[in-house]
Coordinates of all heavy atoms in Angstrom, one line a residue:
F51 N 3.2 -2.3 9.0 CA 2.3 -3.0 8.2 C 2.8 -4.4 7.9 O 3.9 -4.8 8.5 CB 2.1 -2.3 6.8 CG 0.9 -2.7 6.1 CD1 -0.3 -2.9 6.7 CD2 1.0 -2.9 4.7 CE1 -1.5 -3.3 6.0 CE2 -0.1 -3.3 4.0 CZ -1.4 -3.5 4.6
V52 N 2.1 -5.2 7.1 CA 2.3 -6.7 7.0 C 3.7 -7.1 6.6 O 4.2 -8.2 7.0 CB 1.3 -7.4 6.1 CG1 -0.1 -7.4 6.8 CG2 1.2 -6.7 4.8
S76 N -2.6 -4.0 11.0 CA -3.0 -5.3 10.4 C -3.6 -6.2 11.4 O -3.4 -5.9 12.6 CB -1.8 -6.0 9.7 OG -0.8 -6.3 10.7
A77 N -4.3 -7.2 11.0 CA -4.8 -8.2 11.9 C -3.7 -9.2 12.2 O -3.5 -9.6 13.3 CB -6.0 -8.9 11.3
G78 N -3.0 -9.6 11.1 CA -2.0 -10.6 11.3 C -0.8 -10.1 12.1 O -0.4 -8.9 11.9
N80 N 2.1 -12.3 12.5 CA 3.1 -13.3 12.3 C 4.5 -12.8 12.0 O 5.5 -13.4 12.1 CB 2.7 -14.3 11.2 CG 2.3 -13.6 9.9 OD1 1.2 -13.1 9.8 ND2 3.3 -13.4 9.0
R96 N -2.8 -4.4 17.7 CA -3.1 -4.7 16.3 C -4.6 -4.3 16.0 O -5.3 -3.8 16.9 CB -2.9 -6.2 16.0 CG -3.9 -7.0 16.8 CD -4.0 -8.5 16.3 NE -4.9 -9.2 17.1 CZ -5.6 -10.2 16.6 NH1 -5.5 -10.6 15.4 NH2 -6.5 -10.8 17.4
P98 N -7.7 -6.2 15.2 CA -8.1 -7.5 15.1 C -9.1 -7.8 13.9 O -9.1 -8.8 13.3 CB -8.8 -7.9 16.4 CG -9.0 -6.6 17.1 CD -8.1 -5.5 16.5
A99 N -10.0 -6.8 13.7 CA -11.0 -7.0 12.6 C -11.3 -5.6 12.0 O -11.4 -4.6 12.8 CB -12.3 -7.6 13.2
Y100 N -11.3 -5.5 10.7 CA -11.7 -4.2 10.1 C -12.9 -4.4 9.2 O -14.0 -4.1 9.5 CB -10.5 -3.5 9.5 CG -9.5 -4.4 8.9 CD1 -9.5 -4.7 7.6 CD2 -8.4 -4.9 9.7 CE1 -8.5 -5.5 7.0 CE2 -7.4 -5.7 9.2 CZ -7.5 -6.0 7.8 OH -6.5 -6.7 7.3
S101 N -12.6 -5.1 8.1 CA -13.7 -5.5 7.3 C -13.5 -6.9 6.8 O -12.8 -7.1 5.8 CB -14.0 -4.6 6.1 OG -14.9 -5.2 5.3
P102 N -14.0 -7.9 7.5 CA -13.8 -9.3 7.0 C -14.5 -9.4 5.6 O -14.1 -10.3 4.8 CB -14.4 -10.2 8.0 CG -15.3 -9.3 8.9 CD -14.7 -7.9 8.8
V105 N -12.1 -9.0 2.5 CA -11.2 -10.2 2.1 C -12.1 -11.3 1.6 O -11.7 -11.9 0.6 CB -10.4 -10.7 3.3 CG1 -9.4 -11.8 2.9 CG2 -9.6 -9.5 4.0
H108 N -13.1 -10.5 -1.8 CA -11.9 -10.6 -2.8 C -11.7 -12.0 -3.1 O -11.3 -12.4 -4.3 CB -10.7 -9.9 -2.2 CG -9.6 -9.8 -3.2 ND1 -9.7 -8.9 -4.3 CD2 -8.4 -10.4 -3.4 CE1 -8.6 -9.0 -5.0 NE2 -7.8 -9.9 -4.5
V149 N -13.4 -24.8 3.0 CA -12.9 -23.6 3.7 C -11.9 -24.1 4.8 O -12.3 -24.9 5.7 CB -14.0 -22.8 4.3 CG1 -13.5 -21.7 5.1 CG2 -14.9 -22.2 3.1
I150 N -10.7 -23.6 4.8 CA -9.7 -24.0 5.9 C -9.6 -22.8 6.8 O -9.0 -21.7 6.3 CB -8.4 -24.4 5.2 CG1 -8.6 -25.7 4.3 CG2 -7.4 -24.7 6.4 CD1 -7.4 -26.3 3.8
G151 N -10.1 -22.9 7.9 CA -10.1 -21.7 8.9 C -11.5 -21.0 8.9 O -11.8 -20.3 7.9
T152 N -12.3 -21.3 9.9 CA -13.6 -20.7 9.9 C -13.7 -19.6 10.9 O -14.6 -19.6 11.8 CB -14.7 -21.8 10.2 OG1 -14.3 -22.5 11.4 CG2 -14.8 -22.7 9.0
G153 N -12.8 -18.6 10.8 CA -12.9 -17.4 11.7 C -13.8 -16.4 11.0 O -14.7 -16.8 10.2
K154 N -13.5 -15.1 11.2 CA -14.4 -14.1 10.7 C -14.5 -14.2 9.2 O -15.6 -14.1 8.6 CB -13.9 -12.7 11.2 CG -14.0 -12.5 12.7 CD -13.4 -11.2 13.1 CE -11.9 -11.2 13.2 NZ -11.3 -12.1 14.2
I155 N -13.4 -14.3 8.5 CA -13.4 -14.2 7.0 C -13.9 -15.5 6.5 O -14.7 -15.5 5.5 CB -12.0 -13.9 6.5 CG1 -11.6 -12.5 7.0 CG2 -11.9 -13.9 5.0 CD1 -10.1 -12.1 6.8
G156 N -13.4 -16.6 7.0 CA -13.8 -17.9 6.5 C -15.3 -18.2 6.5 O -15.9 -18.7 5.6
V157 N -15.9 -17.7 7.6 CA -17.4 -17.9 7.8 C -18.1 -17.1 6.8 O -19.1 -17.5 6.1 CB -17.9 -17.6 9.2 CG1 -19.4 -17.5 9.3 CG2 -17.4 -18.7 10.1
Y173 N -12.5 -27.2 7.6 CA -11.6 -27.7 8.6 C -11.1 -26.6 9.5 O -10.7 -25.5 8.9 CB -10.4 -28.4 8.0 CG -9.4 -28.7 9.0 CD1 -9.6 -29.8 9.9 CD2 -8.2 -28.0 9.1 CE1 -8.7 -30.0 10.9 CE2 -7.3 -28.2 10.1 CZ -7.5 -29.2 11.0 OH -6.6 -29.5 12.0
D174 N -11.2 -26.8 10.7 CA -10.7 -25.8 11.7 C -10.4 -26.6 13.0 O -11.3 -27.3 13.5 CB -11.7 -24.7 11.9 CG -11.1 -23.5 12.7 OD1 -10.4 -23.7 13.7 OD2 -11.3 -22.3 12.3
P175 N -9.2 -26.5 13.6 CA -9.0 -27.2 14.8 C -9.9 -26.7 16.0 O -10.0 -27.4 17.0 CB -7.5 -27.0 15.1 CG -7.1 -25.9 14.2 CD -8.0 -25.8 13.1
Y176 N -10.4 -25.5 15.8 CA -11.3 -24.9 16.8 C -12.7 -24.6 16.2 O -12.9 -23.4 15.9 CB -10.7 -23.7 17.5 CG -9.3 -23.9 17.9 CD1 -8.2 -23.4 17.1 CD2 -9.0 -24.5 19.1 CE1 -6.9 -23.7 17.5 CE2 -7.6 -24.8 19.4 CZ -6.6 -24.3 18.6 OH -5.3 -24.5 19.0
P177 N -13.5 -25.6 16.0 CA -14.8 -25.4 15.2 C -15.6 -24.3 16.0 O -15.6 -24.3 17.2 CB -15.5 -26.7 15.2 CG -14.4 -27.7 15.6 CD -13.4 -27.0 16.4
Q178 N -16.4 -23.5 15.2 CA -17.3 -22.5 15.8 C -18.7 -22.9 15.7 O -19.1 -23.3 14.6 CB -17.1 -21.2 15.1 CG -15.7 -20.9 14.7 CD -15.1 -19.8 15.5 OE1 -15.7 -19.2 16.4 NE2 -13.8 -19.5 15.3
Y187 N -18.2 -29.5 9.2 CA -16.8 -29.7 9.6 C -16.4 -31.1 9.2 O -17.1 -32.1 9.5 CB -16.6 -29.5 11.1 CG -16.5 -28.0 11.4 CD1 -17.5 -27.4 12.1 CD2 -15.4 -27.3 11.1 CE1 -17.5 -26.0 12.5 CE2 -15.3 -25.9 11.4 CZ -16.3 -25.3 12.1 OH -16.3 -24.0 12.4
L190 N -9.2 -32.6 7.7 CA -8.5 -32.0 6.6 C -8.3 -32.9 5.4 O -8.5 -32.5 4.2 CB -7.1 -31.5 7.1 CG -6.3 -30.5 6.2 CD1 -7.1 -29.3 5.9 CD2 -5.0 -30.1 6.9
L202 N -8.2 -20.7 1.6 CA -7.5 -20.7 2.9 C -7.8 -19.5 3.7 O -7.7 -18.3 3.1 CB -6.0 -20.7 2.6 CG -5.5 -21.9 1.7 CD1 -4.0 -21.8 1.5 CD2 -5.9 -23.2 2.3
H203 N -8.3 -19.6 4.9 CA -8.6 -18.5 5.8 C -8.1 -18.7 7.2 O -8.7 -18.2 8.1 CB -10.2 -18.3 5.7 CG -10.7 -18.0 4.4 ND1 -10.4 -16.8 3.8 CD2 -11.3 -18.8 3.5 CE1 -10.9 -16.8 2.5 NE2 -11.5 -18.0 2.3
C204 N -7.0 -19.4 7.3 CA -6.4 -19.6 8.6 C -5.2 -18.7 8.8 O -4.6 -18.3 7.8 CB -6.1 -21.1 8.8 SG -4.9 -21.7 7.6
P205 N -4.7 -18.5 10.0 CA -3.5 -17.6 10.2 C -2.3 -18.4 9.9 O -2.3 -19.7 9.8 CB -3.6 -17.3 11.7 CG -4.4 -18.3 12.3 CD -5.3 -18.9 11.3
L206 N -1.2 -17.7 9.7 CA 0.1 -18.3 9.5 C 0.7 -18.6 10.9 O 0.9 -17.6 11.7 CB 1.0 -17.4 8.7 CG 2.5 -17.9 8.5 CD1 2.5 -19.3 7.7 CD2 3.3 -16.9 7.8
T207 N 1.0 -19.8 11.2 CA 1.6 -20.2 12.5 C 2.6 -21.3 12.1 O 2.6 -21.8 11.0 CB 0.5 -20.8 13.4 OG1 0.0 -22.0 12.9 CG2 -0.6 -19.9 13.7
Q209 N 2.4 -24.2 12.8 CA 1.6 -25.4 12.4 C 1.0 -25.3 11.0 O 0.8 -26.3 10.3 CB 0.4 -25.7 13.4 CG 0.7 -26.1 14.8 CD 1.3 -24.9 15.6 OE1 0.8 -23.8 15.5 NE2 2.3 -25.2 16.4
T210 N 0.7 -24.1 10.5 CA 0.1 -23.9 9.2 C 1.1 -23.6 8.1 O 0.7 -23.5 7.0 CB -1.0 -22.8 9.2 OG1 -0.4 -21.6 9.6 CG2 -2.1 -23.2 10.2
L213 N 1.1 -25.6 4.9 CA -0.1 -26.5 5.0 C -0.4 -27.1 3.7 O -0.8 -28.3 3.6 CB -1.3 -25.6 5.5 CG -2.6 -26.3 5.8 CD1 -2.5 -27.1 7.1 CD2 -3.7 -25.3 5.9
N230 N -5.8 -18.6 -2.2 CA -5.2 -18.1 -0.9 C -5.2 -16.6 -0.8 O -4.5 -15.9 -1.5 CB -3.7 -18.6 -0.9 CG -3.1 -18.3 0.5 OD1 -3.8 -17.9 1.4 ND2 -1.8 -18.5 0.6
T231 N -6.1 -16.2 0.1 CA -6.1 -14.7 0.4 C -5.6 -14.5 1.9 O -5.8 -13.5 2.4 CB -7.5 -14.2 0.3 OG1 -8.4 -14.9 1.2 CG2 -8.1 -14.2 -1.1
S232 N -4.9 -15.5 2.4 CA -4.6 -15.5 3.9 C -3.2 -15.0 4.1 O -2.9 -13.8 4.4 CB -4.9 -16.8 4.5 OG -5.2 -16.6 5.9
R233 N -2.2 -15.9 4.0 CA -0.8 -15.6 4.1 C 0.0 -16.5 3.2 O -0.3 -17.7 3.1 CB -0.3 -15.8 5.6 CG -0.7 -14.7 6.5 CD 0.0 -13.3 6.2 NE -0.4 -12.3 7.1 CZ -1.4 -11.4 6.9 NH1 -2.1 -11.5 5.8 NH2 -1.7 -10.5 7.8
L236 N 1.5 -20.1 3.8 CA 0.6 -21.3 4.0 C 0.8 -22.3 2.8 O 0.5 -23.5 2.9 CB -0.9 -20.9 4.0 CG -1.3 -20.0 5.1 CD1 -2.8 -19.6 4.9 CD2 -1.2 -20.7 6.5
D257 N -3.8 -14.0 -3.5 CA -3.6 -12.6 -3.1 C -2.4 -12.3 -2.3 O -2.1 -11.2 -1.9 CB -4.9 -12.1 -2.4 CG -4.9 -10.6 -2.1 OD1 -4.6 -9.8 -3.1 OD2 -5.1 -10.1 -1.0
V258 N -1.8 -13.4 -1.9 CA -0.6 -13.4 -1.0 C 0.4 -14.4 -1.6 O 0.0 -15.3 -2.3 CB -1.0 -13.8 0.4 CG1 -1.7 -12.6 1.1 CG2 -1.8 -15.1 0.5
H294 N -1.8 -8.6 -2.7 CA -2.2 -8.4 -1.3 C -3.2 -7.2 -1.2 O -2.9 -6.2 -0.5 CB -1.0 -8.2 -0.4 CG -1.3 -8.6 1.0 ND1 -0.4 -9.3 1.8 CD2 -2.4 -8.5 1.8 CE1 -0.9 -9.5 3.0 NE2 -2.2 -9.0 3.0
Q295 N -4.3 -7.3 -2.0 CA -5.3 -6.2 -2.0 C -6.6 -6.6 -1.4 O -7.6 -5.8 -1.4 CB -5.5 -5.7 -3.4 CG -6.2 -6.7 -4.3 CD -6.5 -6.1 -5.7 OE1 -5.6 -6.1 -6.6 NE2 -7.7 -5.6 -5.9
G296 N -6.6 -7.8 -0.7 CA -7.9 -8.3 -0.1 C -8.5 -7.3 0.8 O -9.7 -7.0 0.9
F297 N -7.6 -6.6 1.6 CA -8.1 -5.7 2.6 C -8.5 -4.3 2.0 O -9.0 -3.5 2.8 CB -7.0 -5.4 3.7 CG -5.9 -4.5 3.1 CD1 -5.9 -3.2 3.4 CD2 -4.9 -5.0 2.3 CE1 -4.9 -2.3 2.8 CE2 -3.9 -4.2 1.7 CZ -3.9 -2.9 2.0
F298 N -8.2 -4.1 0.7 CA -8.2 -2.7 0.2 C -9.6 -2.2 -0.3 O -9.8 -2.1 -1.5 CB -7.2 -2.7 -0.9 CG -6.6 -1.3 -1.2 CD1 -6.2 -0.5 -0.2 CD2 -6.6 -0.8 -2.5 CE1 -5.7 0.8 -0.5 CE2 -6.1 0.4 -2.8 CZ -5.6 1.2 -1.8
Ligands
NAI1 P1 -9.7 -15.3 12.6 O1 -8.7 -15.2 13.7 O2 -11.1 -14.7 12.8 O3 -9.9 -16.8 12.1 C1 -8.9 -17.7 11.9 C2 -9.4 -19.1 12.0 O4 -8.4 -20.0 11.6 C3 -9.8 -19.4 13.4 O5 -11.1 -20.0 13.4 C4 -8.8 -20.5 13.9 O6 -9.3 -21.4 14.8 C5 -8.4 -21.1 12.5 N1 -7.2 -21.8 12.5 C6 -6.2 -21.7 13.4 N2 -5.2 -22.7 13.1 C7 -5.8 -23.4 12.1 C8 -5.3 -24.6 11.4 N3 -4.1 -25.2 11.7 N4 -6.0 -25.0 10.3 C9 -7.2 -24.5 10.1 N5 -7.7 -23.4 10.7 C10 -7.0 -22.9 11.7 O7 -9.0 -14.5 11.4 P2 -9.7 -13.8 10.1 O8 -10.0 -12.4 10.5 O9 -10.8 -14.6 9.6 O10 -8.5 -13.8 9.1 C11 -8.0 -15.0 8.5 C12 -6.7 -14.7 7.9 O11 -6.9 -13.8 6.7 C13 -5.7 -13.9 8.8 O12 -4.9 -14.8 9.6 C14 -4.8 -13.2 7.8 O13 -3.7 -13.9 7.6 C15 -5.7 -13.1 6.5 N6 -6.0 -11.7 6.1 C16 -5.6 -11.4 4.8 C17 -5.9 -10.1 4.4 C18 -5.6 -9.7 2.9 O14 -5.6 -8.5 2.7 N7 -5.4 -10.6 2.0 C19 -6.5 -9.1 5.2 C20 -6.8 -9.6 6.6 C21 -6.6 -10.9 7.0

Side-chain angles (χ1 to χ4, degrees):
F51 197 45
V52 289
S76 61
N80 52 277
R96 65 168 181 148
Y100 30 95
S101 171
V105 186
H108 192 68
V149 171
I150 301 185
T152 52
K154 292 175 284 296
I155 297 169
V157 167
Y173 169 73
D174 192 313
Y176 311 99
Q178 321 254 355
Y187 280 109
L190 193 54
L202 308 180
H203 298 288
C204 57
L206 176 65
T207 63
Q209 293 74 39
T210 60
L213 181 75
N230 186 10
T231 56
S232 204
R233 282 293 178 266
L236 296 175
D257 186 47
V258 287
H294 207 140
Q295 68 176 80
F297 74 99
F298 201 50

